[in-house]
């Protein structure tokens, strides 16, 4: 009971004393700092440095850590601590300096604590010694098991690797103090998959055998245990390691089938696909390098086998055209192998795989086949006797052997220069001109003639090239030089101009052009340079501008062709005034010749002709509109027309010689004719019978006759109308005004003879004695 009481008193004192002392210390701390210079004291020293306490102590709390001691012999001295966890985890007994821990410590959470110790006089709270720092260090007891840094590790190693090849490394950490021997030592052990891999004490995993085959098993999942062998509890942790075997090229390709059969039409294109053979290579795609080759068979020149780099298939392609009529079936053996296989890991079973290939060629309707391509012909230009250049030939490759018909498809240059007959004969409709085109190209098509006479829609083409051989049919021409000029005081030998020539024909290989003057009686001379040019020089010198300011010099240019051709060209040389340095100071400007090409003249004539045609069309259209406008005029504006007959006609039944549409339109519209008052004297007609059925028709006719008779502004001729419609029960006789002159009218029309020649015809019509010979 006394022991328990002492412990309670001790605990109570430990709780109260530091708090009371610390409060008193805070009051006196400033006093110490302010009065430390006024007190004289003996030298005193702390006699402690570092304290240790074991972690996870299982004894009852509080745990004694250590004791603060000082050389101060003052009985009133009291100890106070400050710092991390002071007066919470750690507390000091003020009277004797014992420090106690009131919690169990874990070194893995915090390994040491730094505190500051003070010693004061409890009576006046004066500091007896300067503060001193000290460390409480927590000692390790190796109470933690190792833990892997991650739950799953990954590694890889090539298949068939040698024994002991490193794969990957695992790492586990122990939280205990590594400075204490054995506390943080980790050991590793494979508890699953140890027949394939091993692990050392550093965590490096290696292969345990040399026959790891990816094609049998590509991944392995092993479990590794990390253990602290010297730990108190012997606890451990585990981690999973996934190991992948990477591929190496250690397997040969094998055909999936012992034989392959293909059907292909005979018109398959060269380089086209006939079929594909498939092999199986259990290596990964990057290690599949199959090579195909022929083993037996005589068709290496007919087919080739190319490996597809993506699918590893063998693509069979023809190297030349197939012909069903010649070979209907091909049979040969091929092999597949891989030269990049690593022979160190060679597996029994053979390095080659062989398969039989059968290719059946099917018949198709093929287009005609030309005997050769291309065709080339040569012909001399401008030869009228050559009508046929040659012929092209084609045949039907099928068993039907149909006839072939030829035709021209394209031509360059365009035009009817070369023709192709149905039988393939190349014809010239007219001679060719090399200067127009030195060569001609045409495309000839060949088509089979079917049994019903129609042409097959399948055709083949051949190129025909015609070369035109040059004939020397063009004389050389002078290249237009700059206007030649010469000083009037030029010295003999002075070069006036260098001339050159051109020839539309091919240049003769025998030499250059030859130049000469037509006469030597001039003050000019010609000197050849033997490079297709010549110099015109001054012969005597001293030209007289008063006699001639312009000289015309004819120059003959000859080629060396067969036959030789020449042309005469005239140089116009101006004589100019010059200064002492020979510079031209004054020259007469000669009239420039303006030439118009034939094409320009043709274009001008076409434009003029077009303008004339347009003008005529406009005039005709206006005249036509003027004729039609009479239909829309009122009755007063309708002029009569003169119709001439050589016979009396059929009277009222004669309705085929005139157009009564104008009168009918007036009658139907009910238009009443207006009486136009002329400025001239009007001749009154005797009133006729107006009771007939014609009615308004008679009135209109009489008005129009009066207008024709009395209007002097009109032309001096009448218009004769023969009307087939006179109305019902018409009692009128002939309405023709031609009989007016012999009618019973008492009007005398002889005054028309006095009106001049313009009214001669009218006077003859209405006169009392008309000319019997007059025929209108």
């Amino acid at each position: 009971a006394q022991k328990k009481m002492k412990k309670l008193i001790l605990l109570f004192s430990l709780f109260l004393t530091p708090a009371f002392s610390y409060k008193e210390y805070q009051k006196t701390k400033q006093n110490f700092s302010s009065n430390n210079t006024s007190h004289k004291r003996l030298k005193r020293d702390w006699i402690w440095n570092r304290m240790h306490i074991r972690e996870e102590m299982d004894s009852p709390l509080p745990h004694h850590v250590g004791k603060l001691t000082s050389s101060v012999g003052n009985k009133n001295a009291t100890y106070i601590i400050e710092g991390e966890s002071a007066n919470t985890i750690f507390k000091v007994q003020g009277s004797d300096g014992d420090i106690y821990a009131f919690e169990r410590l874990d070194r893995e959470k915090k390994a040491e604590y730094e505190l500051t110790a003070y010693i004061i006089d409890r009576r006046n709270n004066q500091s007896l010694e300067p503060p001193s720092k000290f460390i409480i260090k927590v000692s390790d007891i190796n109470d933690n098991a190792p833990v892997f840094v991650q739950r799953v590790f990954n590694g890889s190693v090539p298949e068939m690797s040698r024994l002991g090849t490193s794969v990957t490394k695992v790492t586990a950490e122990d939280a205990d103090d590594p400075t204490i021997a054995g506390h943080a030592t980790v050991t590793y052990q494979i508890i699953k998959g140890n027949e394939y891999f091993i692990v050392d004490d550093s965590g490096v995993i290696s292969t345990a055998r040399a026959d790891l085959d990816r094609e049998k098993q590509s991944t392995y999942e092993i479990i590794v245990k990390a253990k602290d062998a010297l730990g108190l509890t012997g606890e451990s942790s585990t981690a999973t390691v996934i190991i992948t075997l990477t591929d190496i090229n250690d397997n040969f390709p094998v055909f999936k089938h012992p034989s392959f059969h293909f059907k292909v039409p005979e018109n398959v294109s060269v380089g086209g696909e006939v079929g594909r053979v498939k092999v199986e290579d259990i290596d990964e795609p990057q290690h599949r390098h199959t090579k195909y080759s022929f083993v037996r068979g005589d068709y290496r020149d007919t087919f080739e086998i190319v490996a597809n780099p993506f699918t590893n298939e063998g693509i069979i392609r023809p190297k030349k055209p197939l012909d069903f009529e010649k070979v209907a079936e091909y049979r040969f053996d091929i092999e597949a192998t891989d030269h990049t296989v690593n022979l160190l890991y060679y597996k029994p079973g053979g390095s080659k795989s062989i398969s039989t290939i059968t290719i059946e060629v099917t018949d198709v309707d093929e287009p005609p086949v030309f005997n050769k391509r291309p065709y080339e012909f040569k012909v001399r230009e401008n030869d009228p006797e050559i009508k046929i250049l040659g012929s092209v030939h084609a045949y039907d490759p099928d068993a039907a052997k149909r006839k072939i018909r030829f035709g021209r498809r394209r031509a360059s240059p365009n035009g009817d220069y070369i023709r192709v007959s149905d039988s393939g004969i190349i014809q010239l409709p007219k001679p060719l001109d090399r200067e127009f085109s030195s060569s001609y190209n045409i495309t000839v098509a060949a088509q089979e003639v079917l049994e019903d006479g129609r042409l097959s829609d399948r055709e083949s083409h051949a190129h025909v090239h015609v070369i035109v051989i040059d004939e020397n049919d063009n004389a050389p021409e002078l290249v237009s030089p700059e206007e030649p000029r010469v000083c009037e005081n030029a010295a003999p030998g002075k070069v006036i101009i260098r001339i050159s020539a051109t020839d539309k024909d091919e240049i003769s290989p025998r030499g250059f052009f030859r130049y000469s003057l037509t006469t030597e009686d001039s003050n000019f001379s010609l000197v050849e340079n033997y490079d297709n040019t010549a110099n015109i020089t001054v012969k005597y010198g001293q030209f007289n501008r008063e006699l001639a300011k312009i000289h015309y010099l004819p120059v003959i240019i000859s080629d060396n062709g067969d036959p030789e051709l020449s042309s005469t060209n005239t140089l116009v040389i101006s004589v100019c005034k010059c200064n002492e340095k020979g510079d031209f100071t004054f020259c007469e400007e000669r009239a420039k010749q303006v030439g118009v090409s034939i094409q320009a003249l043709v274009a001008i004539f076409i434009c003029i002709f077009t303008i004339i045609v347009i003008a005529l069309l406009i005039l005709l259209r206006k005249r036509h509109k003027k004729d039609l406008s009479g239909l829309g005029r009122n009755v007063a504006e309708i002029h009569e027309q003169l119709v001439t007959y050589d016979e009396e006609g059929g009277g009222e039944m004669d309705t085929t010689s005139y157009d009564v549409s104008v009168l009918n339109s007036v009658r139907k519209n009910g238009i009443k004719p207006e009486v136009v008052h002329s400025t001239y004297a009007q001749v009154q007609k005797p009133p006729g019978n107006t009771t007939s059925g014609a009615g308004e028709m008679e009135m209109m006719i009489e008005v129009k006759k009066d207008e024709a008779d009395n209007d002097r502004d009109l032309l001096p001729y009448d218009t004769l109308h023969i009307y087939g419609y006179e109305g019902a029960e018409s009692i009128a006789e002939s309405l023709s005004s031609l009989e007016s002159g012999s009618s019973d009218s008492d009007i005398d029309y002889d005054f028309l003879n006095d009106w001049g020649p313009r009214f001669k015809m009218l006077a003859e019509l209405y006169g009392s004695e008309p000319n019997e010979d007059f025929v209108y």
Side-chain angles (χ1 to χ4, degrees), residues 598-618:
I598 297 176
Q599 293 83 354
L601 290 174
V602 172
I604 292 172
F605 284 128
I606 291 174
C607 292
I608 294 173
F609 179 76
T610 304
I611 293 171
I612 293 173
V613 171
I614 293 173
L616 290 175
L617 291 175
I618 293 173

Side-chain angles (χ1 to χ4, degrees), residues 529-579:
N529 298 319
Y530 300 102
D531 59 354
N532 273 341
T533 64
N535 292 336
I536 303 298
T537 61
V538 178
K539 189 173 185 180
Y540 304 113
Q542 295 298 326
F543 293 90
N544 190 347
R545 280 174 48 85
E546 299 299 331
L547 296 178
K549 297 178 181 179
I550 295 177
H551 293 265
Y552 297 92
L553 181 64
V555 178
I556 299 175
I557 306 175
S558 303
D559 59 18
N560 290 289
D562 186 16
E564 183 177 281
L565 299 178
S566 63
S567 64
T568 302
N569 305 264
T570 302
L571 283 176
V572 182
I573 304 175
S574 300
V575 180
C576 305
K577 294 182 179 180
C578 301
N579 56 20

Side-chain angles (χ1 to χ4, degrees), residues 498-511:
R498 172 175 287 190
I499 59 175
S500 60
T502 182
D503 196 335
K504 295 179 181 179
D505 296 319
E506 293 181 354
I507 298 178
S508 173
R510 295 186 296 174

